[in-house]
Amino acid sequence: MARSSIHVCVAFVVALVVALVVGGAVEAQEVRDYGITRRGRVPDTQVMEDARAALDRAGVACSIEAARLRGRDERRVPQFEVTCREGPGYLVVADTDAKALSCLVLESQRDRARRDSQSTKGPRCELRANQIVLPLFAAMGAQAGLTCKIDAGRFVGFAPSQGEIYEIGCADESGAWIEKIEDGWTTKDCLLVSAQGGQCVFTNHAEIITSFAPALGNSDLAGCDLRSVRAMGSNGLDRYYEVLCASRQSAVVRFDGQGALAEVIACALADRIGDGCQFSARPRMN
């Protein structure tokens, strides 16, 4: 994760802690009396309108399904929590220069702090829809084009562009990393994630094999008892993988820009593709 990204994220979390914890302590009775329901002094419709305006100022696309006024800081700037139809909700500081942070990011930071035996007193989302996270990961994965049965997810970090990166886990097949961009999502399969030094904690070797093997069906490797596969690199259009079958030495396969298998290359001819073939001739058995 880029150092600048960490600074931006930490700075915003600190601001929220001050706003929601310190500010909340100063005006605890007032916030409690406000409420965010029809029993309070702030109408539900006004909360929705103010939250939507703050999200617009923050540049966040969200079809709000519910909004809650969480409190005000010492400058009387309100903070909202919202749930979004498209995916994770947000905590929003509704200043002139509004800022929003994903509930999944906040919860991930709390989980990381808990694992590191650090304080978990930072801000968190409280609306029920923001605490049931699997449907949120499923919605994001579907928007990113994943068609598997999504059974897990986690926040990975921020891209240099400040886009959020998530790992999506799939039941009995390979998952992916997805990155939020301005007009949608980009995806990176777990084979490529691993080759680039990342880690998919929800995808194991067997799931990778299960997902990759069908792609060999219309080639000289049809019927291959696939034991191992790894990403070797890309030239900007084609992607190359080394594969190892149970009954033969490893080979390199090339997939074109449409994802179709275009060529099977003997390892003797693949020295200049990535780092060349690395699998032993002996089949991997686990």
Side-chain angles (χ1 to χ4, degrees):
M1 187 186 306
R3 187 180 301 273
S4 61
S5 299
I6 297 175
H7 289 169
V8 171
C9 183
V10 170
F12 182 48
V13 171
V14 170
L16 277 173
V17 171
V18 172
L20 298 178
V21 178
V22 177
V26 172
E27 302 186 78
Q29 184 63 43
E30 184 173 10
V31 170
R32 189 163 53 247
D33 286 345
Y34 269 17
I36 41 74
T37 70
R38 295 175 179 82
R39 295 188 301 271
R41 296 201 299 266
V42 179
D44 291 351
T45 54
Q46 188 63 53
V47 170
M48 290 283 282
E49 290 174 5
D50 292 348
R52 184 175 294 108
L55 282 173
D56 288 343
R57 295 197 301 276
V60 174
C62 167
S63 300
I64 299 178
E65 293 191 323
R68 176 181 180 181
L69 176 64
R70 290 283 299 269
R72 298 174 185 267
D73 65 16
E74 67 280 1
R75 296 182 298 117
R76 304 289 299 168
V77 174
Q79 297 88 38
F80 299 97
E81 179 182 348
V82 300
T83 64
C84 304
R85 184 179 304 116
E86 302 88 347
Y90 294 88
L91 287 183
V92 189
V93 177
D95 210 340
T96 303
D97 181 21
K99 298 177 177 64
L101 193 63
S102 163
C103 292
L104 291 181
V105 173
L106 287 173
E107 194 59 32
S108 173
Q109 291 172 336
R110 289 175 61 87
D111 288 343
R112 189 171 302 168
R114 189 179 299 112
R115 291 194 301 269
D116 295 340
S117 300
Q118 299 175 357
S119 172
T120 59
K121 294 182 179 180
R124 69 179 307 180
C125 295
E126 298 174 351
L127 293 176
R128 180 171 174 78
N130 287 334
Q131 294 183 335
I132 305 175
V133 297
L134 186 55
L136 302 179
F137 288 121
M140 292 188 298
Q143 292 165 23
L146 302 183
T147 58
C148 63
K149 180 182 178 182
I150 294 172
D151 62 0
R154 68 183 179 103
F155 170 69
V156 175
F158 290 98
S161 64
Q162 299 297 315
E164 298 158 14
I165 301 175
Y166 297 91
E167 179 188 354
I168 301 297
C170 297
D172 302 320
E173 57 183 294
S174 180
W177 279 16
I178 62 174
E179 177 184 334
K180 190 73 175 74
I181 58 176
E182 184 175 353
D183 58 349
W185 299 85
T186 62
T187 63
K188 184 183 297 182
D189 66 70
C190 283
L191 265 178
L192 189 56
V193 168
S194 178
Q196 295 179 345
Q199 183 183 19
C200 285
V201 301
F202 302 127
T203 295
N204 58 37
H205 178 75
E207 289 172 330
I208 288 177
I209 295 300
T210 297
S211 297
F212 194 89
L216 303 176
N218 296 320
S219 73
D220 294 341
L221 298 177
C224 160
D225 182 4
L226 186 64
R227 298 304 176 89
S228 287
V229 58
R230 69 183 187 94
M232 298 177 68
S234 171
N235 61 10
L237 179 62
D238 298 337
R239 288 187 176 181
Y240 296 84
Y241 298 85
E242 181 183 5
V243 298
L244 179 63
C245 300
S247 59
R248 58 185 295 171
Q249 293 186 343
S250 63
V252 175
V253 291
R254 175 175 66 87
F255 290 86
D256 63 23
Q258 286 69 49
L261 196 156
E263 186 179 10
V264 177
I265 306 168
C267 280
L269 303 175
D271 288 345
R272 295 186 179 182
I273 299 176
D275 52 358
C277 291
Q278 299 293 315
F279 290 146
S280 167
R282 176 178 297 178
R284 175 174 174 167
M285 300 305 295
N286 60 341

